[in-house]
Amino acid sequence: MQPQPGAVIFDGEEFRVDATLLRQGRPWNPALKWGVVIGLTALIVLGGLVGTVLRSVLWVIAAVVAVAAGITLLIAVFGKRLSAWGAGMIIPRMMKTVDKKYSKVRQELLKSMKGRVLDVGAGGGAYLQYAFANEAVTEVVALEPNVGCHAHIKATVSELCEGKGYGKGLAPRAAPPPSVEIVSEFIEDHLKRVGGERYDWAILGNVLCEVPDPQSVLRALDALMKPGARVYFSEHVRAPPGTMAETIQDWVNPWWVRVSDGCNCNRDSVGAMRRGTGWALKVWTFQEKGLPWIPIFELGLGVKSK
C-alpha cells in the first residue's frame, strides 16, 4: 500500500511523494547474513545447544517483560511527572530518528510553508529545520506543554542559527532566520489567548495520538488557521479492521499509553480529521517495520476552505 510514483496536484501545487523518498536502514551484507545463519545452525546441530538456545530466548523474553513491568510500576507509583520526564528525554530523540527516515517526504510537503507557522506539540523541534530553510517563513510558534522538551527546542534553534543541524537537502536561507516563540500551553488555551485566524501554516507531528480529545484539538486548530491555510500532518494510525496488527494495538495500548506519556497506538487520527474538519485532505500511507503496534504512518496535507 505504498504511494505510487508520479505527480499529484493538490491545492494547485504539484507534489511527488512515494516510497523511494524514504531513507532505508542499511541492509545486511549477504555474505555476513548467511555466515551468521550457517554459524548459528552449526552451533546448534553440532553442539547440541537446542535446549540452551531455547532457554536463552526465554530468558531474553522474561527480561523484556520484567523491564516493561518495572517501568509501568514506577509510573504507577510516581505518576504523571515521571512519564512526562521520560517523554521529555526520549521523544525528541525518537522524533529525530523518524525525521531522518521521512526527511525527503517532509521537504516535499513543506516546500511552500510560509508566513506564521504553528507547530502543535513541537517536541524537540524536529520541524524547525524546514522553517529555517524556507525564505517565506517569518515566525514559528512552538506549542509544547511538556516543559521537559523546551531545552531541546532551544538547543535546536541555537544550532540552526549557527548553520548546523540541517538534514540532507536542506540549508540555511540567505535571509535572517524566523522568530521562534516557545509556548507552554494547550491549543485550546492558546486559541483563547491569541484569537482565531492567526496562522498561515500548522504542523501536526504525531500529536493526535497523545491528546485527550482529538476533536477538541482539531476544532481549536481550525479556528486558529486563516482561510486557505495549510496543515501538514504526520501520524501513526490504527491498523485496518480485522487484522492481527489491529488486535496487537488494542492489546498493547493500555500499557503503551502509560509508559509513553499518553500516546495511543490504536487511534484513527487521520479519520478523526476527515470526520471533524472541513479540510480538503491528501494522504500518503507508509508501512512501518519497527514496533509491531505502530505498523502504519500517514503523512499529508490539509487545506482550510477560503
Side-chain angles (χ1 to χ4, degrees):
M1 196 166 44
Q2 303 286 16
Q4 296 301 310
V8 171
I9 305 298
F10 179 73
D11 193 31
E13 187 173 5
E14 180 179 293
F15 297 93
R16 291 183 177 271
V17 175
D18 60 72
T20 63
L21 295 181
L22 300 186
R23 177 179 175 179
Q24 305 296 337
R26 183 175 295 177
W28 275 45
N29 181 292
L32 177 61
K33 178 173 67 176
W34 282 108
V36 170
V37 171
I38 293 171
L40 289 175
T41 303
L43 282 174
I44 293 172
V45 174
L46 299 177
L49 298 179
V50 174
T52 302
V53 171
L54 288 176
R55 284 193 296 271
S56 298
V57 171
L58 290 175
W59 273 112
V60 170
I61 293 173
V64 171
V65 172
V67 170
I71 294 172
T72 305
L73 179 61
L74 285 172
I75 291 174
V77 172
F78 294 102
K80 183 73 174 175
R81 183 178 298 177
L82 179 62
S83 64
W85 174 83
M89 294 294 292
I90 296 170
I91 288 178
R93 292 170 173 81
M94 290 179 61
M95 291 301 99
K96 278 190 175 182
T97 301
V98 173
D99 184 71
K100 286 181 180 178
K101 180 174 182 178
Y102 288 97
S103 177
K104 289 185 179 180
V105 176
R106 291 175 174 180
Q107 288 179 46
E108 178 70 5
L109 296 180
L110 293 169
K111 61 187 178 183
S112 296
M113 186 164 47
K114 64 181 181 180
R116 182 180 287 149
V117 178
L118 178 64
D119 188 354
V120 184
Y127 287 96
L128 287 173
Q129 59 181 314
Y130 303 99
F132 272 62
N134 197 314
E135 297 278 354
V137 176
T138 58
E139 177 186 350
V140 179
V141 174
L143 199 64
E144 181 47 67
N146 187 344
V147 295
C149 292
H150 289 190
H152 294 277
I153 298 174
K154 292 176 182 178
T156 299
V157 171
S158 297
E159 193 175 39
L160 293 171
C161 286
E162 294 173 0
K164 305 174 184 176
Y166 291 87
K168 187 175 181 180
L170 294 173
R173 65 191 196 178
S179 64
V180 178
E181 180 184 6
I182 304 173
V183 180
S184 179
E185 60 189 3
F186 294 101
I187 192 169
E188 296 90 345
D189 299 324
H190 188 63
L191 173 62
K192 292 176 184 177
R193 182 170 67 85
V194 303
E197 297 189 359
R198 183 175 178 83
Y199 294 99
D200 303 286
W201 267 78
I203 295 172
L204 281 174
N206 297 100
V207 172
L208 296 179
C209 62
E210 295 186 8
V211 296
D213 186 351
Q215 292 299 337
S216 175
V217 168
L218 290 169
R219 286 193 297 270
L221 179 57
D222 183 71
L224 284 162
M225 293 165 61
K226 296 177 181 178
R230 285 185 185 177
V231 55
Y232 160 92
F233 56 88
S234 170
E235 299 283 345
H236 59 79
V237 298
R238 187 174 182 84
T243 61
M244 179 59 71
E246 183 191 43
T247 301
I248 292 173
Q249 286 179 318
D250 289 338
W251 184 77
V252 168
N253 195 63
W255 168 77
W256 182 247
V257 76
R258 293 184 69 86
V259 302
S260 63
D261 194 35
C263 173
N264 292 268
C265 62
N266 59 351
R267 278 192 179 167
D268 181 16
S269 297
V270 177
M273 277 187 260
R274 291 191 177 99
R275 295 187 296 271
T277 73
W279 305 338
L281 295 177
K282 177 58 186 175
V283 183
W284 286 268
T285 302
F286 298 94
Q287 305 296 322
E288 281 292 318
K289 297 179 180 179
L291 297 175
W293 52 91
I294 302 181
I296 299 173
F297 259 77
E298 291 191 330
L299 289 75
L301 296 171
V303 179
K304 181 177 178 178
S305 60
K306 297 181 180 180

